Amino acid sequence: MVTLTIDGKQVTVARTATIYDAAKEAGINIPVLCYAKKLLPYGACRVCLVEVEQMKGRLIPSCTTPVTEGMVVTTNSAEIRKVRKTVLEFLLVNHVIECPVCDKAGECDLQDLTYEYEVVTNRFQGEKFDLPTDEVNPLIERNMNRCVLCGKCVRVCDEIVGFGSYSFVNRGFETKIATAFDRGLDCEFCGQCVSMCPVGAILPRPFKFKARPWQIKEVNTVCGYCGNGCTVTLGVKANKVETIRFNDKTGVNDGNLCIRGRFGYSYVNSTERLTTPLIRKDGQLVKAGWDEALAAVSQGFKAAGKTLGMISGARLTNEEFYLFKKVAATVGTANLDHSGGECYKGVTEGLKQTLGVSASTATFPQVEKADAILVIRSDFYETHPVFGMVVNQAVKRNHAKLSIVADKRGKFGKLPDARSLVTKPGLELNVLNGIARVLLDEGLAVTDGVAGLDELKKALAGFAPEQVAAATGVTADALQQTARELAAAKNSAILLAYGLPYTAYSKELAIAAANIAILTGNAGREGSGLYLCGEKANSQGAIDLTVLPGDQGLGAQAMLAAAAAGQVRSLYIVNEDPLVSYPDQDKVKAALAGAEFVVVQDLFLTETAKQADVVLPAASFAEKEGTFTNAERRLQRLHPGITSPGLAKTDQAIFQALLVSLGDNVVYTGTEAIFDALKVGTVYAGIGYADIGLQGAVWGGDHLTVSKQLVPVGGGVTVDAPFQLVTGSALYHSGTTSTHALGPNAVISAPYVEFGREDAAALQLVDGDMVKVKGSGCELQLQAKVDNRLPQGVLFAPYHFASAGLNRLYKGEASVAVEISK
């Protein structure tokens, strides 16, 4: 630690702190424009200049100057104010003054400093910038006439996002921030540059002219999309979410967001939202009141009794999951499940068998300090972009060794020295087994206290590096290097995402990943972790609260089969659109046709809801209170920013009303009372609702205590065909919900099938061509997209879009043999 004096106040801070950090810790304000706590020090704007007694004769930038013992600092004097005022005058020489029509007015750092330092005239005259405004894309507007060249947009895009859209171009007075070849912005559209811009140079277009900052009510809540659990600050005006505000003070994401979190909020305002219950009469869904709808649901469920099947998505709150289970118990059915019933088995069965836990073993911040990282499936960045930004930082700042096992190349593979182990679809298991084999063969494995070693050695007999290389296409050298780096790492991280489009080998991949975690000493070691991250906002909560089949109950897939056979008489589908998102559409169709009574509870009249007998209008995350549990086991509280449209209710309110209708008269006084009830006998037992503060509460602590049971697992099977189709998530979408949001749809609004350049050339395809994709007894018409990340013979299609009908073809396999024609 270092002790210094700032403005007469003694301060003791870490040796790595800058003067600016120390002043901030002491509560002393130093103005800045180019500083951001998440970015490396830069020292571009010179507004933060201070005096240091030991460095007399010049002013120094506080944001880049490290503290030293005994340093005496003055942050505010007549000389300092004079210099800062001059700096501001320089910045304003060419800067256009458009405050009356600039959306940043009222929260513009330059405007505030100009006011504070009374820059009412300018001694320096120059021609105002007259650069064209970039309005090519529908999400981010760039007006470089307002830029102060702080470089925060350049740095956040490079250091955090790892995309590198921006750079400084030209020199002297001609210097500006530009994209490659000064073209329109074409990027991930995460909006990190919007958050960082201290002036009105980079603005969110959907928010343009919607409200002044002081007209906006800010409400912190948790993003409703993926399992990262990012804090989003809703900007609300007139009961409408108008924007997402930057907030780096709350939650796990340090202010970082992806396109879904930043621009995917608009579905909550959609005029297509359900606003009243619907009941099928004479073959048509017609509007009804809640009393009539609940009476019909109650009557149907009572008639079904133990033959009722209940399936939910993983975006309900923990409190709603608890009540959902209570409905099942009240009706007397054990047929309960979520998320298709298969994709999460890596956590509930794979990790349970190997590590004795059903969750990620460590928390997110530790990944940033990792020395070696193994990512399984390149789609991890697509499903969890903000966690992916943590990986970016680990590689760029901590020089972590990164290896990616996947059936296609992805963004992670572009990071410095990253190693992509691209395998044939379905053979990721073989690669993981090959890595485990190297650890054992080269004596790198940590085996003290490990059970099942002999059985694993026998099972890996056929996974020597050369054998794996021959089968998968991944070189033996890549396997060996990856194994050695993981074994040598003091801190390591192994990452695997799961979700509806990743059903194949979900349990086996988790076991293989856990085997590597055990053999490398990762399992249970402080600073290291195995992360299995759910696709949806509360995937982990559903597992923690066992929204799973009860004794002799049916899982989701068995329920659908039983409904088709008339053995499950009624289906209750909540917050899920299986006709679009579940593998095997024909199976879902048969189930909906076979069930005597179908109830769907959702925000929109989805494809599944259109087939229901009763449709109940539910609320979005922005209208709810309660808790989500993210993929690192962190419980966080949601806070409602708006009320629901029309007669729509929260799922919590619907379940409570339904329970009363079913004869359960237990009344809860509020969400906290439900939480107190649900935590009994669960991993949440030691957590109080009021204790879940701004940073949430992690059950089990930063590191879970694990067992170390190695479990043999065989290799995968690949398809022998000229073309194989794989599915998964696209970066801009999450499940089917985002297809109702303007932001994600502004980038990708329609389904497509992606080709590698070699295949596209051979088939004479270009972007936008319509192609026929034939397989599994059906034929789809999709638009072609050509990129360079797919190996020859591998095609990719995202699963989000109803119009694609992709699950007519995809039935849960790792890949599907397809034929392509124009």
Side-chain angles (χ1 to χ4, degrees):
M1 300 297 282
V2 167
T3 299
L4 67 159
T5 303
I6 305 178
D7 293 345
K9 187 175 182 179
Q10 274 209 337
V11 187
T12 300
V13 295
R15 189 171 295 276
T16 54
T18 63
I19 293 174
Y20 178 82
D21 295 331
K24 193 173 182 183
E25 198 164 319
I28 298 168
N29 179 55
I30 298 176
V32 288
L33 284 173
C34 71
Y35 170 86
K37 72 174 185 179
K38 71 171 82 175
L39 302 177
L40 297 173
Y42 196 58
C45 70
R46 281 344 201 209
V47 171
C48 69
L49 293 172
V50 295
E51 294 173 354
V52 176
E53 188 174 289
Q54 292 85 346
M55 305 166 93
K56 282 193 171 176
R58 61 190 174 101
L59 299 180
I60 61 167
S62 63
C63 73
T64 57
T65 306
V67 296
T68 58
E69 184 66 35
M71 184 179 264
V72 179
V73 180
T74 299
T75 70
N76 200 348
S77 66
E79 177 64 17
I80 291 171
R81 289 186 64 83
K82 180 181 175 184
V83 171
R84 286 177 184 163
K85 186 171 181 176
T86 302
V87 169
L88 291 168
E89 286 179 285
F90 281 138
L91 289 174
L92 290 167
V93 168
N94 306 112
H95 189 101
V96 295
I97 308 298
E98 300 177 329
C99 298
V101 292
C102 179
D103 267 353
K104 197 75 173 183
E107 56 181 356
C108 170
D109 292 348
L110 181 63
Q111 189 182 54
D112 291 345
L113 289 173
T114 302
Y115 181 85
E116 180 182 347
Y117 286 85
E118 301 178 13
V119 187
V120 294
T121 59
N122 200 333
R123 293 169 291 161
F124 313 104
Q125 299 300 317
E127 189 176 345
K128 296 297 182 186
F129 289 129
D130 187 22
L131 301 168
T133 302
D134 176 7
E135 296 178 331
V136 173
N137 73 83
L139 298 177
I140 297 172
E141 176 182 296
R142 296 189 307 126
N143 184 341
M144 291 300 106
N145 301 308
R146 301 169 181 167
C147 179
V148 292
L149 298 176
C150 68
K152 285 162 78 171
C153 56
V154 178
R155 290 179 287 143
V156 75
C157 197
D158 177 42
E159 294 176 26
I160 308 294
V161 185
F163 196 92
S165 289
Y166 301 114
S167 63
F168 289 91
V169 299
N170 301 331
R171 305 188 69 177
F173 286 109
E174 301 299 320
T175 304
K176 66 176 183 177
I177 305 293
T179 59
F181 305 105
D182 214 0
R183 293 179 295 207
L185 189 65
D186 184 10
C187 61
E188 291 181 16
F189 299 109
C190 62
Q192 295 277 60
C193 53
V194 174
S195 296
M196 287 290 98
C197 184
V199 293
I202 305 179
L203 292 168
R205 291 192 69 192
F207 183 56
K208 194 168 184 178
F209 300 136
K210 293 291 176 61
R212 284 303 199 185
W214 53 86
Q215 296 174 312
I216 290 290
K217 179 182 74 172
E218 293 188 348
V219 180
N220 291 330
T221 190
V222 183
C223 181
Y225 281 117
C226 82
N228 201 75
C230 295
T231 292
V232 289
T233 300
L234 310 177
V236 178
K237 181 186 176 187
N239 200 40
K240 187 176 180 182
V241 178
E242 294 286 9
T243 189
I244 299 296
R245 308 277 287 167
F246 176 56
N247 177 4
D248 62 352
K249 299 178 180 62
T250 305
V252 299
N253 50 313
D254 198 22
N256 298 322
L257 289 173
C258 66
I259 179 174
R260 287 137 26 185
R262 179 92 54 191
F263 294 113
Y265 58 86
S266 63
Y267 73 92
V268 307
N269 303 324
S270 173
T271 55
E272 296 178 359
R273 287 275 303 273
L274 290 167
T275 57
T276 183
L278 303 172
I279 295 180
R280 189 170 298 280
K281 294 178 179 176
D282 299 325
Q284 300 294 318
L285 286 170
V286 297
K287 292 180 179 179
W290 273 105
D291 290 344
E292 184 185 5
L294 288 171
V297 173
S298 176
Q299 183 181 353
F301 286 1
K302 286 177 179 174
K306 64 181 180 181
T307 67
L308 170 66
M310 296 176 56
I311 300 172
S312 83
R315 288 184 172 129
L316 298 181
T317 65
N318 290 317
E319 293 72 19
E320 290 164 348
F321 277 138
Y322 175 75
L323 296 176
F324 185 63
K325 289 184 67 177
K326 280 204 73 175
V327 171
T330 303
V331 173
T333 181
N335 304 326
L336 182 76
D337 208 346
H338 76 281
S339 300
E342 295 295 328
C343 64
Y344 57 74
K345 287 188 174 176
V347 185
T348 58
E349 298 181 10
L351 292 192
K352 195 71 177 175
Q353 288 181 23
T354 49
L355 304 179
V357 298
S358 297
S360 299
T361 63
T363 53
F364 293 160
Q366 295 164 64
V367 177
E368 200 171 333
K369 302 295 182 186
D371 306 307
I373 301 172
L374 175 64
V375 178
I376 303 164
R377 292 191 184 124
S378 63
D379 289 352
F380 192 92
Y381 192 88
E382 274 73 14
T383 54
H384 298 80
V386 175
F387 195 3
M389 294 174 193
V390 177
V391 175
N392 293 341
Q393 291 173 262
V395 173
K396 291 199 163 203
R397 293 183 179 174
N398 200 45
H399 308 295
K401 304 291 186 185
L402 175 63
S403 299
I404 310 107
V405 177
D407 54 20
K408 53 186 168 297
R409 287 176 285 277
K411 183 182 172 186
F412 281 146
K414 298 176 183 176
L415 288 170
D417 300 321
R419 180 184 300 112
S420 292
L421 287 70
V422 179
T423 178
K424 296 174 183 174
L427 298 186
E428 292 92 342
L429 268 174
N430 303 51
V431 176
L432 298 183
N433 279 340
I435 293 171
R437 171 72 182 265
V438 174
L439 291 168
L440 292 167
D441 285 355
E442 297 191 4
L444 302 172
V446 178
T447 56
D448 289 345
V450 173
L453 186 59
D454 292 339
E455 291 83 355
L456 182 66
K457 284 181 177 177
K458 287 180 187 174
L460 294 179
F463 293 95
E466 294 74 16
Q467 293 170 296
V468 173
T472 66
V474 175
T475 67
D477 181 63
L479 291 171
Q480 290 159 344
Q481 290 299 324
T482 300
R484 290 165 190 161
E485 288 168 2
L486 288 168
K490 181 181 177 184
N491 301 322
S492 64
I494 302 173
L495 281 55
L496 172 63
Y498 64 90
L500 282 169
Y502 308 105
T503 297
Y505 303 124
S506 56
K507 175 183 173 182
E508 292 82 1
L509 281 170
I511 289 174
N515 286 341
I516 293 174
I518 293 170
L519 292 174
T520 56
N522 167 298
R525 182 174 62 199
E526 189 172 344
S528 298
L530 171 58
Y531 300 84
L532 263 68
C533 300
E535 180 192 19
K536 304 288 175 60
N538 204 22
S539 295
Q540 186 60 45
I543 291 170
D544 293 342
L545 297 176
T546 61
V547 185
L548 302 168
D551 288 342
Q552 300 183 339
L554 302 176
Q557 294 304 316
M559 269 187 256
L560 295 175
Q567 295 160 352
V568 163
R569 294 176 57 191
S570 179
L571 286 172
Y572 186 19
I573 300 170
V574 178
N575 200 222
E576 197 82 288
D577 187 9
L579 265 179
V580 177
S581 61
Y582 277 25
D584 198 347
Q585 189 187 86
D586 288 342
K587 185 177 183 178
V588 180
K589 276 184 178 176
L592 296 174
E596 297 172 13
F597 184 63
V598 177
V599 178
V600 173
Q601 186 169 307
D602 214 318
L603 277 67
F604 296 93
L605 190 63
T606 63
E607 295 302 310
T608 305
K610 290 174 184 173
Q611 307 303 314
D613 297 289
V614 179
V615 180
L616 304 177
S620 74
F621 78 101
E623 297 142 38
K624 291 183 176 183
E625 66 175 4
T627 55
F628 282 162
T629 308
N630 77 353
E632 57 167 351
R633 297 172 281 109
R634 188 182 303 270
L635 282 85
Q636 299 181 103
R637 285 173 59 174
L638 285 77
H639 301 280
I642 57 175
T643 57
S644 299
L647 299 180
K649 294 177 182 286
T650 65
D651 296 282
Q652 179 178 316
I654 296 172
F655 293 143
Q656 285 189 293
L658 180 57
L659 282 166
V660 171
S661 182
L662 289 167
D664 182 336
N665 291 317
V666 176
V667 176
Y668 297 95
T669 54
T671 305
E672 183 171 0
I674 301 173
F675 184 83
D676 287 343
L678 76 84
K679 71 181 184 180
V680 177
T682 73
V683 290
Y684 304 157
I687 299 173
Y689 190 74
D691 299 332
I692 304 172
L694 295 178
Q695 298 304 120
V698 179
W699 68 260
D702 283 341
H703 292 90
L704 282 185
T705 301
V706 300
S707 57
K708 297 177 182 178
Q709 174 68 54
L710 296 169
V711 176
V713 60
V717 177
T718 192
V719 174
D720 185 15
F723 293 105
Q724 300 180 53
L725 178 73
V726 298
T727 187
S729 285
L731 174 64
Y732 308 98
H733 286 278
S734 177
T736 57
T737 303
S738 59
T739 61
H740 299 278
L742 297 177
N745 278 336
V747 184
I748 294 180
S749 61
Y752 61 87
V753 57
E754 185 178 340
F755 293 82
R757 296 200 183 280
E758 288 178 318
D759 287 332
L763 293 166
Q764 298 184 320
L765 294 175
V766 297
D767 269 337
D769 282 352
M770 293 303 295
V771 295
K772 296 174 183 175
V773 182
K774 188 176 180 181
S776 299
C778 69
E779 183 176 284
L780 309 180
Q781 286 262 6
L782 295 169
Q783 195 173 61
K785 178 182 177 184
V786 181
D787 211 328
N788 55 8
R789 66 177 188 145
L790 291 167
Q792 196 168 7
V794 179
L795 317 178
F796 170 79
Y799 84 110
H800 313 286
F801 301 97
S803 59
L806 190 72
N807 57 351
R808 290 171 54 209
L809 189 150
Y810 168 66
K811 300 183 188 301
E813 315 92 325
S815 65
V816 183
V818 294
E819 298 173 13
I820 302 297
S821 60
K822 283 192 176 180

